[in-house]
Amino acid sequence: MADNENIEVESPALKEELLKEEPMGEEEDMEPMKVEASTADASSGLKKTWDDWTDWMSGSGGRGDENLLPAKYKLVTDDNARYYSLVALQVSVAIASINSKLLNPNYPIMVSPGAHEDSFPSTEPFAFNSATYFIPMCTLLGVAISSIVLGGISDRFGRKPVLLILAIISTFGSVVKYFCRHQFWAFCIAQFIFGFFLSSLPVAMAYVGDVFTNKEEKESQLGLLVGCSVMGSSGGGIIAILMESTGLFTPLLVGAGLSAIAAIVLSTCLIEPGDARLVDTKKSIDLDDEDVLKRPDEIKQSVMWNVVAGALLDNIGSTGLFPLCLSPLAIQQYHLQFVTADPEEEPIMSLTGYKWLSVCVALMVIPSTLMTPHIFAKIGVAATCVMGNIMTAALTMALLGIGTGPATETYFYIFVAVLYGGFPFTVFSQLTTGPMLDVLAPEDKIGYVQGLNNMAMNFGMAFAPWVLGILADATTTETAIWTGVAISFLAALTNAPLMWQPQMGKPIAIPPSYKRVLDGEDEDIVKKVLEGEYVPDDVMFDLNRQRMLKHKPFLVPKVKPYEEERDSLDELSKNAGETFRFRKNMRDRVLNEMAKDGGRARAEEFCDLVNLANGKVEQADKEEVSADLGKWIGDYLQDNGYNPATNPVLIKQMVLTAFPQISREPISADNLEEQAFRSRQIYSQYITVTDRQKNKYSLKGILSTQPNQGFY
């Protein structure tokens, strides 16, 4: 839909009409808000004067079909309110993710008794790898389980209350976990319990599903939320590294403070979809039908579980890449074998360097979120997911090959470069699950399906590192990594059938409404208009009048190349007089109505409707028509003896003579009379010319010929 932010509406009646809504009771909060498509009945008195002035516009009642706009979509009409609300949403997701990964860099030290004064005295019955991954598994398992139910709860009770409760409980949860720091099992149990309150992502993704109806915008916002979650994971690790000297568990207190901030931001900035405070006084709130997601009445269960299974396998397979390629592969290859050598050697990678390497790789999600909308548009969401799965497998194999090569600084730098260069492409698959599930969700199941998405992601991230860590302890690191590669390829095969789902495949470009037939229009006539064929001007006018009254853009005809019309110019000019007369008559009616009492108010309404319809045509399309028309005129001049290449100044003078200025300002009540009068004068002159050409071979035309053209 074209951007209408700069369209000023000066008519009070039109403002009232655009903002009109049905009163909502407690049980009707989610019922559709009705917005009249015409301003003809803004008030009974205004309706009468409107009809009196433009009975030639009122046609079949002068009204468009009702445009039903659900109340919750009011959030899309106020840019500032939407911006701050989405920022609050993103902050809450990022902080929840920070808390879920806040201590990740410290886990290897925590589970190594004696390595630090804060290390657990025992991790029985787990060895190093399994204990390292068991602690985050507890958190992610809690997140996964709660994701199943929280999305559905938010469908029933609202997004904001659920997000607010999660943030408040997480504040106290971080403090409780801090006091459980002395015992491995007590800490793991606290991680699991309070992990239930870190699953804000599915609720936030459901919120985006509520607010955005445009598919491209929605996919972008869902990807941004996943990006905030991934970057939050990185932020948690960075906090742990920066606070290393204060203790292994001290970052939990920072996490408590951040959760409290999230609660404050949510309570003050987040607007529940349907909040009546959101009213835009500058533009129409109706939506073009090509922009609106048509939600199904029920979920396609087979497709939904296909998406969930693919997401689960994707996150399991990703474990082979991250963290196994870093720990234990990189840490063993570039650190441990040096510090355990006899005599001890200076490692290529320090423990601090390993921590920074592991937490900062998540920042590579930023280029991923920037690229995905363009890739979605090129190949579709499902194909992007499959590509991400394949890239994960390929990058894992590349890192495995480099990491098992010589332990030199050159190989280490190559390892880091390949990891950071390839990681953005592997994130594609994680950024696609949310959009794929969203298009399957009925209105009342958005939170539920996003909960399934988060469940699959977190179950995979919870169990896979722990299970593959046990496999690495029991066999070799290479075996565990190859297992991850195989599962990534399996994820690609699982997701491949989704490429043939209509809403997940390559997007089909839908022309904007000003370049296609709308409901209720005569298809044959509209197609003729759009193809640049001749249609009587009164018919063309009626089509555009109906669109204007429904707050839709005017039709934008194609400009045929001159070569296509070169042999039919006489046919094209044959109806010129009829067209000019119709246009002149329209100006007469406008001037007549403006001379009556109340003409100013009716003029404001009329100009607002015209500007709204014009404003919804994209500037690029306006420029394209102007360019094509200029080319047509240039070709005509060249073909008919005017030689524009050698007479450009002359041609400009001729154009200025043939097309005197009407106005350089948009039409308004202040200049409507002047514009109508000037254009009427021009059409009158054109009518005189066309009449003279039409009658030049009649008796009157011959007798009235100038002397120098007469008989000798």
Side-chain angles (χ1 to χ4, degrees):
M1 187 168 63
D3 183 4
N4 301 321
E5 291 185 6
N6 296 320
I7 300 174
E8 294 289 344
V9 176
E10 57 183 74
S11 164
L14 183 56
K15 285 183 182 179
E16 179 183 351
E17 179 67 22
L18 293 177
L19 302 174
K20 188 188 302 178
E21 64 176 309
E22 295 288 345
M24 295 180 295
E26 291 184 1
E27 296 182 358
E28 299 175 320
D29 196 41
M30 299 303 288
E31 287 297 314
M33 176 182 67
K34 295 182 179 180
V35 179
E36 295 294 337
S38 168
T39 62
D41 59 350
S43 68
S44 58
L46 181 60
K47 182 181 189 304
K48 184 178 185 306
T49 55
W50 173 263
D51 288 344
D52 288 344
W53 183 38
T54 54
D55 57 354
W56 45 274
M57 288 184 60
S58 58
S60 304
R63 296 174 53 82
D65 296 330
E66 279 190 331
N67 178 28
L68 299 180
L69 184 66
K72 65 183 180 177
Y73 289 151
K74 285 185 293 183
L75 191 58
V76 307
T77 67
D78 188 307
D79 292 339
N80 287 332
R82 181 173 68 251
Y83 172 78
Y84 289 114
S85 194
L86 290 174
V87 167
L89 194 71
Q90 293 154 11
V91 166
S92 68
V93 168
I95 289 177
S97 185
I98 285 173
N99 277 295
S100 68
K101 302 292 180 69
L102 190 58
L103 303 179
N104 274 29
N106 296 339
Y107 292 150
I109 305 173
M110 288 181 187
V111 300
S112 302
H116 190 279
E117 60 180 354
D118 288 341
S119 297
F120 295 119
S122 173
T123 60
E124 292 293 338
F126 298 126
F128 174 77
N129 278 331
S130 53
T132 299
Y133 296 123
F134 184 78
I135 300 176
M137 186 195 78
C138 293
T139 299
L140 295 177
L141 188 59
V143 173
I145 295 173
S146 64
S147 296
I148 302 174
V149 296
L150 282 180
I153 291 174
S154 72
D155 285 334
R156 182 174 180 183
F157 297 104
R159 316 300 181 197
K160 182 174 181 176
V162 173
L163 289 169
L164 196 54
I165 290 172
L166 294 179
I168 292 171
I169 296 180
S170 293
T171 301
F172 296 101
S174 293
V175 176
V176 172
K177 286 190 284 186
Y178 179 78
F179 285 107
C180 293
R181 67 189 184 278
H182 300 297
Q183 293 295 326
F184 175 74
W185 280 104
F187 184 76
C188 289
I189 292 171
Q191 288 274 92
F192 173 72
I193 293 174
F194 290 104
F196 279 82
F197 302 97
L198 294 175
S199 54
S200 60
L201 182 59
V203 183
M205 296 177 82
Y207 183 96
V208 168
D210 291 337
V211 172
F212 290 92
T213 56
N214 179 279
K215 189 170 182 288
E216 183 179 344
E217 287 182 325
K218 181 179 296 185
E219 290 172 350
S220 177
Q221 288 294 326
L222 290 173
L224 182 58
L225 283 180
V226 175
C228 288
S229 178
V230 176
M231 287 189 289
S233 303
S234 178
I238 291 173
I239 292 172
I241 296 172
L242 294 177
M243 299 186 66
E244 187 174 11
S245 61
T246 65
L248 299 180
F249 294 89
T250 309
L252 288 170
L253 301 179
V254 175
L258 290 174
S259 294
I261 292 173
I264 295 171
V265 171
L266 286 170
S267 64
T268 56
C269 297
L270 189 73
I271 298 174
E272 181 70 23
D275 194 313
R277 286 179 294 149
L278 285 179
V279 176
D280 183 4
T281 60
K282 291 184 64 177
K283 58 188 178 182
S284 171
I285 56 177
D286 73 305
L287 300 171
D288 281 346
D289 50 5
E290 71 266 18
D291 293 327
V292 180
L293 173 66
K294 307 298 190 298
R295 292 199 174 276
D297 295 327
E298 57 183 30
I299 300 174
K300 290 184 179 180
Q301 295 290 332
S302 59
V303 180
M304 180 186 72
W305 289 111
N306 190 156
V307 176
V308 172
L312 180 61
L313 290 171
D314 173 41
N315 283 277
I316 294 174
S318 295
T319 304
L321 169 63
F322 186 78
L324 289 185
C325 279
L326 284 177
S327 176
L329 179 63
I331 199 169
Q332 173 66 40
Q333 183 78 343
Y334 303 115
H335 180 81
L336 291 179
Q337 69 168 318
F338 289 92
V339 300
T340 58
D342 189 18
E344 182 177 343
E345 300 178 30
E346 182 71 21
I348 296 174
M349 178 180 67
S350 67
L351 283 179
T352 301
Y354 158 73
K355 290 180 180 180
W356 282 110
L357 184 64
S358 62
V359 300
C360 289
V361 70
L363 296 177
M364 293 297 100
V365 75
I366 297 175
S368 298
T369 57
L370 295 175
M371 288 188 288
T372 46
H374 305 288
I375 298 176
F376 288 170
K378 292 289 185 183
I379 63 175
V381 181
T384 305
C385 181
V386 173
M387 182 176 72
N389 298 145
I390 294 173
M391 288 299 299
T392 299
L395 182 61
T396 305
M397 290 189 292
L399 292 176
L400 180 60
I402 298 168
T404 54
T408 64
E409 286 191 356
T410 299
Y411 267 76
F412 172 70
Y413 293 140
I414 294 174
F415 182 93
V416 173
V418 171
L419 173 63
Y420 275 69
F423 189 77
F425 299 96
T426 69
V427 182
F428 288 162
S429 53
Q430 293 179 319
L431 299 178
T432 56
T433 311
M436 287 193 293
L437 285 172
D438 182 78
V439 299
L440 299 174
E443 199 72 45
D444 60 343
K445 299 290 184 184
I446 301 174
Y448 167 71
V449 298
Q450 294 300 347
L452 290 178
N453 171 33
N454 212 42
M455 176 207 70
M457 290 175 62
N458 284 285
F459 265 124
M461 291 188 293
F463 281 108
W466 184 58
V467 172
L468 292 180
I470 293 175
L471 178 63
D473 287 339
T475 56
T476 63
T477 298
E478 288 83 353
T479 301
I481 292 175
W482 277 113
T483 302
V485 170
I487 295 174
S488 290
F489 279 122
L490 180 60
L493 291 174
T494 302
N495 286 314
L498 298 172
M499 292 190 292
W500 284 269
Q501 291 295 320
Q503 290 181 298
M504 300 179 193
K506 183 178 179 179
I508 299 174
I510 301 177
S513 53
Y514 50 82
K515 288 188 176 182
R516 59 186 174 83
V517 183
L518 301 182
D519 291 341
E521 293 181 335
D522 188 307
E523 183 175 355
D524 292 335
I525 292 177
V526 174
K527 283 185 176 179
K528 286 184 68 176
V529 172
L530 294 176
E531 287 300 315
E533 301 288 345
Y534 170 74
V535 171
D537 206 50
D538 57 338
V539 176
M540 176 83 168
F541 178 85
D542 188 60
L543 281 171
N544 280 328
R545 173 181 62 81
Q546 294 289 347
R547 285 171 168 250
M548 179 177 68
L549 293 174
K550 296 176 183 177
H551 301 162
K552 299 294 183 182
F554 293 140
L555 288 164
V556 177
K558 170 186 175 183
V559 179
K560 287 184 176 183
Y562 172 73
E563 292 77 9
E564 291 185 19
E565 298 186 305
R566 183 174 184 273
D567 297 327
S568 58
L569 295 181
D570 289 341
E571 185 69 22
L572 183 63
S573 62
K574 182 176 67 175
N575 301 299
E578 178 184 341
T579 300
F580 299 149
R581 278 188 173 83
F582 180 82
R583 294 288 173 137
K584 172 179 168 290
N585 289 338
M586 292 301 99
R587 271 62 184 176
D588 288 347
R589 292 173 185 246
V590 170
L591 293 169
N592 182 54
E593 279 301 318
M594 290 198 70
K596 295 179 180 180
D597 292 340
R600 168 77 189 198
R602 294 191 296 276
E604 287 179 356
E605 273 194 84
F606 174 71
C607 294
D608 283 340
L609 285 171
V610 171
N611 287 329
L612 283 170
N614 275 325
K616 290 184 177 183
V617 179
E618 296 285 356
Q619 184 63 28
D621 288 309
K622 294 178 182 178
E623 292 173 357
E624 180 182 357
V625 171
S626 295
D628 291 342
L629 192 57
K631 179 70 164 56
W632 192 98
I633 294 172
D635 291 344
Y636 171 83
L637 295 172
Q638 180 64 43
D639 190 45
N640 287 273
Y642 289 92
N643 299 317
T646 57
N647 297 293
V649 175
L650 172 64
I651 297 299
K652 291 177 184 178
Q653 293 169 333
M654 295 172 71
V655 168
L656 292 173
T657 302
F659 300 102
Q661 183 185 109
I662 296 175
S663 177
R664 291 184 175 179
E665 300 297 329
I667 188 172
S668 68
D670 293 328
N671 63 27
L672 177 59
E673 184 176 9
E674 181 182 6
Q675 288 201 29
F677 183 74
R678 287 188 178 183
S679 57
R680 184 195 185 282
Q681 285 182 309
I682 294 170
Y683 289 131
S684 295
Q685 293 171 9
Y686 288 164
I687 290 168
T688 300
V689 173
T690 54
D691 284 349
R692 183 181 299 145
Q693 290 176 339
K694 183 178 181 181
N695 298 322
K696 65 182 178 180
Y697 296 118
S698 67
L699 178 60
K700 178 181 178 182
I702 293 172
L703 293 177
S704 64
T705 304
Q706 295 295 323
N708 63 340
Q709 296 175 326
F711 301 102
Y712 291 97

